[in-house]
């Protein structure tokens, strides 16, 4: 209750449920989504707006953000938007993702790059800016209290166990798992936890 959360890829599916459940628990939500299709093509903010409308109808607080999380500056604007709108940031849920499934022998460079960009860089960039914000807060805390920041990343069984036709997606999701372990070790000293979940379709 009273915490501020960013959820990326929050217009549909798992991300939508993250946003709704966090809002139901009393958090203020930045619903981030480009509104692209499963393949990452196109853009439409109306699905994200529907999530915001649903949260508001239930008495919660939420805003839409359409920044591209795989763009370093866009990710910074996302974090800044949460802080400027709600006064702080407590939780970052990195959930945005796309699929470009293809057997390795047929996969194009663009199909590889697009999936790695959205999943892996789209986890790094928002986390980097959120971590910088929390580190600055930690330095300002003269009372010695930890900042209590939370990062939750989305890995996958495709990355942990492997799934045929998903060398790009699986590599990105395995990368997210490794990123999570290392970031958790780095940020623990300032009171920030970093965890990952691995939902299965």
């Amino acid at each position: 209750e009273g915490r501020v959360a960013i959820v990326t890829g929050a217009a549909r599916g798992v991300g939508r449920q993250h946003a709704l459940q966090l809002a139901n628990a009393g958090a203020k939500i930045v619903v981030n989504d480009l509104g692209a299709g499963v393949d990452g093509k196109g853009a439409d903010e109306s699905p994200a707006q529907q999530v915001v409308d649903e949260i508001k109808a239930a008495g919660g607080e939420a805003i839409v953000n359409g920044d591209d999380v795989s763009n370093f500056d866009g990710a910074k604007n996302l974090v800044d938007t949460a802080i400027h709108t709600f006064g702080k940031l407590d939780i970052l849920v990195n959930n945005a993702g796309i699929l470009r499934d293809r057997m390795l022998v047929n996969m194009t460079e663009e199909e590889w790059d697009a999936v790695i960009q959205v999943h892996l860089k789209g986890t790094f960039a928002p986390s980097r800016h959120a971590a910088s914000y929390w580190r600055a807060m930690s330095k300002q805390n003269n009372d010695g209290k930890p900042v209590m920041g939370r990062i939750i990343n989305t890995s996958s069984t495709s990355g942990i166990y492997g799934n045929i036709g998903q060398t790009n997606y699986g590599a990105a999701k395995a990368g997210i798992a490794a990123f999570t372990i290392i970031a958790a070790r780095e940020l623990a000293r300032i009171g920030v936890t970093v965890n990952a979940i691995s939902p299965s379709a």
Side-chain angles (χ1 to χ4, degrees):
E1 187 173 349
R3 302 197 121 204
V4 176
I6 291 171
V7 182
T8 72
R12 301 180 182 95
V14 173
R16 177 176 176 274
Q17 285 302 316
H18 286 322
L20 294 176
Q21 294 298 323
L22 284 164
N24 188 53
K28 299 170 185 178
I29 312 295
V30 179
V31 177
N32 166 265
D33 206 296
L34 289 174
V38 175
D39 62 359
K41 296 175 181 175
D44 178 9
E45 279 195 3
S46 61
Q49 186 61 55
Q50 289 171 11
V51 176
V52 167
D53 292 345
E54 193 170 340
I55 290 169
K56 288 182 174 179
E61 292 184 59
I63 60 166
V64 171
N65 173 274
D67 280 306
D68 179 353
V69 294
S70 70
N71 177 285
F72 197 68
D73 293 335
K76 184 176 191 312
N77 188 65
L78 169 62
V79 170
D80 289 345
T81 296
I83 297 162
H84 294 154
T85 304
F86 296 121
K88 61 176 181 171
L89 175 63
D90 301 296
I91 302 161
L92 170 63
V93 181
N94 290 308
N95 176 74
I98 64 170
L99 291 173
R100 299 279 181 88
D101 292 357
R102 189 86 62 195
M103 297 298 280
L104 176 61
V105 295
N106 295 319
M107 186 171 292
T108 66
E109 182 180 15
E110 192 275 335
E111 287 167 339
W112 174 271
D113 288 348
V115 169
I116 297 296
Q117 177 90 358
V118 174
H119 287 277
L120 200 49
K121 189 174 179 186
T123 294
F124 156 70
S127 299
R128 156 66 168 78
H129 295 300
S132 293
Y133 164 73
W134 286 322
R135 184 181 64 174
M137 274 188 60
S138 176
K139 289 181 178 179
Q140 292 171 7
N141 284 355
N142 297 324
D143 55 11
K145 289 182 181 177
V147 296
M148 299 289 286
R150 300 288 179 258
I151 297 175
I152 300 97
N153 298 323
T154 310
S155 185
S156 170
T157 50
S158 182
I160 299 168
Y161 303 114
N163 194 29
I164 290 173
Q166 293 189 321
T167 51
N168 51 3
Y169 179 78
K173 290 305 193 182
I176 288 169
F179 173 95
T180 300
I181 293 166
I182 297 164
R185 291 174 179 171
E186 290 183 2
L187 299 178
R189 61 186 178 81
I190 61 170
V192 174
T193 63
V194 187
N195 291 281
I197 60 169
S198 178
S200 299

